[in-house]
Amino acid sequence: MKTFLVGGAVRDRLLGLEPGDRDWVVVGETQASMEAAGFKPVGWDFPVFLHPDSGEEYALARTERKSGRGYRGFVVDADPSVTLEQDLSRRDFTINAIAQEADGGLVDPFGGARDIEARVLRHVGDAFVEDPLRVLRAARFMARFATLGFRVADETMALMGTMVESGELAELVPERVWQELRRAIASERPSAFLRTLHDCGALAVVLPEVDALYGVPQRAEYHPEVDTGVHVELVCDMAAKLAPGDDLIGFAALTHDLGKALTPDDVLPKHIGHEQAGVAPLRKLCERLKIPTGHRQLAEIACREHLNVHRFDELRASTAVKLIERCDGFRKPERIGQLATVCEADKRGRAGLQDQPYPQADALRAAHAAARAVRAVDLPAGLEGPAIGEAMRKARIVAVAAATGKKL
């Protein structure tokens, strides 16, 4: 059986990164011969098998032919006559179209190793246009590899722009868009994802609420970067730094300022009430992409409350407790720390201000801890019904005032 290690494991080894899951291609076999050798079939759209001992995935070498619109419109051919080179030719980028033989030698018909050396993300061939999801994959790879110095090849960016103009990105189902977005905002450089999509026109298709922020001015004394789209890029990168790999924090950071796209021109560059205005477009985005409930809830809290957290030092203890209550911070205490992190990313995600301290985050956490320390057993005896809740609220306000020095 002729097997070859392919894809990300080969690419990451050449990049000096820790490889993830290993995928294998098998040449010259059939489904029957694979099953006879003890491999367990698991593929629905094309023949993929699990190794009987390692559990790793082995796929028969295959070709794909476009048969309809969207990323699902393909006819797969996994005939034993399909060669390794033909299998590699159907892959998206040259850096992913490298195979490794058993002795460690490389099969690299499209110059992927050379592009890894040059730090270039380049499409393999003309078949790239047949799968609109590859536009998002290009952007997501940039979110992961931009810190290594990667750029998208000019001809690939041009091709992606053509794909956007064809209208095929509209065929992408929400779950696939969210899958790529989720991985991108959990990467080291989410801004590269946004910038790549924006530059080829795809952001306006998949995330129009975010794309609308580009070119919207902000007050330079608070936002030296001025452009709101650039600000969101910086916020997402700061969120990735403060909470590495956390797509929950990343999504809230991405969507916290959507209301600024709705500010009337005669009000700019001020954005009065943008935190409330942003809730409607956020909900629309979440419905369209079927965003998970936990992500929606934190994003809406961050959108609505981030200015209140920024001015947390000015709040009375009673107002601080109300803020925590609005966030459901007593039933779901993790939310307050998450909100603090998103707000810190917002404040430090500004040109030249990335190293500024953000004491509001610790102040919010301290107030929350003081309020949570109040227990029902500490309340006066004999209280019933609503009186218990009111007494609890008053005790929490007193506790926050004592812990933070705030006025009641």
Side-chain angles (χ1 to χ4, degrees):
M1 184 178 293
K2 296 178 63 176
T3 64
F4 300 85
L5 185 65
V6 294
V10 180
R11 176 198 66 221
D12 290 350
R13 181 180 69 81
L14 294 175
L15 283 168
L17 303 175
E18 186 70 27
D21 294 336
R22 301 198 304 173
D23 296 314
W24 303 82
V25 159
V26 183
V27 177
E29 300 293 334
T30 65
Q31 177 152 344
S33 68
M34 293 293 287
E35 291 187 34
F39 287 79
K40 179 183 178 181
V42 293
W44 290 98
D45 298 326
F46 49 84
V48 179
F49 307 83
L50 297 183
H51 191 283
D53 297 322
S54 70
E56 293 178 329
E57 289 191 357
Y58 284 68
L60 296 184
R62 66 187 189 271
T63 60
E64 295 173 346
R65 176 173 52 84
K66 187 73 169 174
S67 62
R69 288 178 65 83
Y71 71 94
R72 288 177 171 171
F74 291 92
V75 173
V76 175
D77 179 12
D79 189 86
S81 64
V82 175
T83 67
L84 175 62
E85 288 74 12
Q86 287 175 315
D87 181 274
L88 294 176
S89 71
R90 70 174 175 78
R91 296 175 184 265
D92 47 13
F93 305 105
T94 61
I95 66 172
N96 296 329
I98 309 170
Q100 180 178 306
E101 298 178 293
D103 63 1
L106 299 181
V107 180
D108 184 18
F110 305 104
R114 181 179 62 246
D115 283 341
I116 286 176
E117 188 70 24
R119 299 298 195 255
V120 174
L121 189 67
R122 191 190 317 275
H123 65 284
V124 169
D126 294 340
F128 183 86
V129 302
E130 296 177 351
D131 185 356
L133 188 66
R134 289 175 168 177
V135 175
L136 272 67
R137 281 174 57 82
R140 194 247 300 164
F141 276 122
M142 285 301 299
R144 181 179 177 190
F145 294 135
T147 55
L148 299 179
F150 269 82
R151 65 177 180 84
V152 181
D154 293 342
E155 62 269 29
T156 300
M157 280 296 292
L159 194 59
M160 288 161 57
T162 300
M163 294 168 69
V164 172
E165 292 172 2
S166 76
E168 281 227 3
L169 267 68
E171 304 290 330
L172 294 173
V173 298
E175 291 84 357
R176 297 304 296 272
V177 176
W178 170 239
Q179 183 180 34
E180 296 296 325
L181 172 59
R182 187 174 198 165
R183 295 174 71 178
I185 57 180
S187 298
E188 193 171 354
R189 190 70 62 80
S191 62
F193 175 83
L194 299 175
R195 177 60 60 175
T196 300
L197 292 182
H198 177 68
D199 287 351
C200 73
L203 193 63
V205 178
V206 296
L207 289 171
E209 298 85 357
V210 177
D211 189 73
L213 298 173
Y214 284 87
V216 176
Q218 302 164 110
R219 293 174 64 179
E221 63 267 37
Y222 300 118
H223 290 275
E225 71 283 351
V226 180
D227 189 308
T228 306
V230 176
H231 168 57
V232 170
E233 291 181 0
L234 295 172
V235 174
C236 288
D237 284 353
M238 183 56 66
K241 180 179 179 181
L242 295 174
D246 192 328
D247 55 81
L248 190 66
I249 299 294
F251 182 70
L254 173 68
T255 56
H256 79 285
D257 261 352
L258 296 184
K260 289 183 177 179
L262 305 177
T263 301
D265 290 344
D266 61 346
V267 179
L268 295 173
K270 295 181 179 180
H271 292 279
I272 301 170
H274 76 274
E275 65 278 17
Q276 297 298 330
V279 172
L282 170 60
R283 289 176 176 173
K284 182 179 179 181
L285 184 159
C286 289
E287 285 297 320
R288 186 180 68 254
L289 294 186
K290 300 180 181 179
I291 304 299
T293 300
H295 291 70
R296 297 184 188 208
Q297 292 174 342
L298 180 63
E300 188 166 326
I301 288 169
C303 178
R304 189 183 66 233
E305 304 290 352
H306 64 275
L307 290 190
N308 289 327
V309 179
H310 290 340
R311 62 185 186 92
F312 193 76
D313 290 346
E314 305 169 19
L315 303 185
R316 290 179 173 271
S318 57
T319 309
V321 170
K322 288 179 182 178
L323 187 158
I324 295 169
E325 290 174 340
R326 287 196 303 272
C327 298
D328 204 9
F330 294 115
R331 285 198 320 120
K332 299 180 179 179
E334 69 281 357
R335 280 192 178 168
I336 300 304
Q338 292 165 341
L339 173 63
T341 300
V342 175
C343 293
E344 181 174 357
D346 175 32
K347 199 68 171 182
R348 294 173 59 189
R350 309 179 189 205
L353 302 180
Q354 62 274 9
D355 296 323
Q356 291 292 306
Y358 189 68
Q360 296 94 321
D362 286 340
L364 173 59
R365 292 187 179 100
H368 183 224
R372 287 191 68 213
V374 176
R375 296 288 182 265
V377 295
D378 301 324
L379 301 179
L383 297 176
E384 296 181 357
I388 297 176
E390 184 59 30
M392 178 70 76
R393 180 176 292 107
K394 289 180 179 179
R396 285 169 171 166
I397 293 171
V398 171
V400 169
T404 64
K406 290 180 176 294
K407 295 180 179 180
L408 293 174

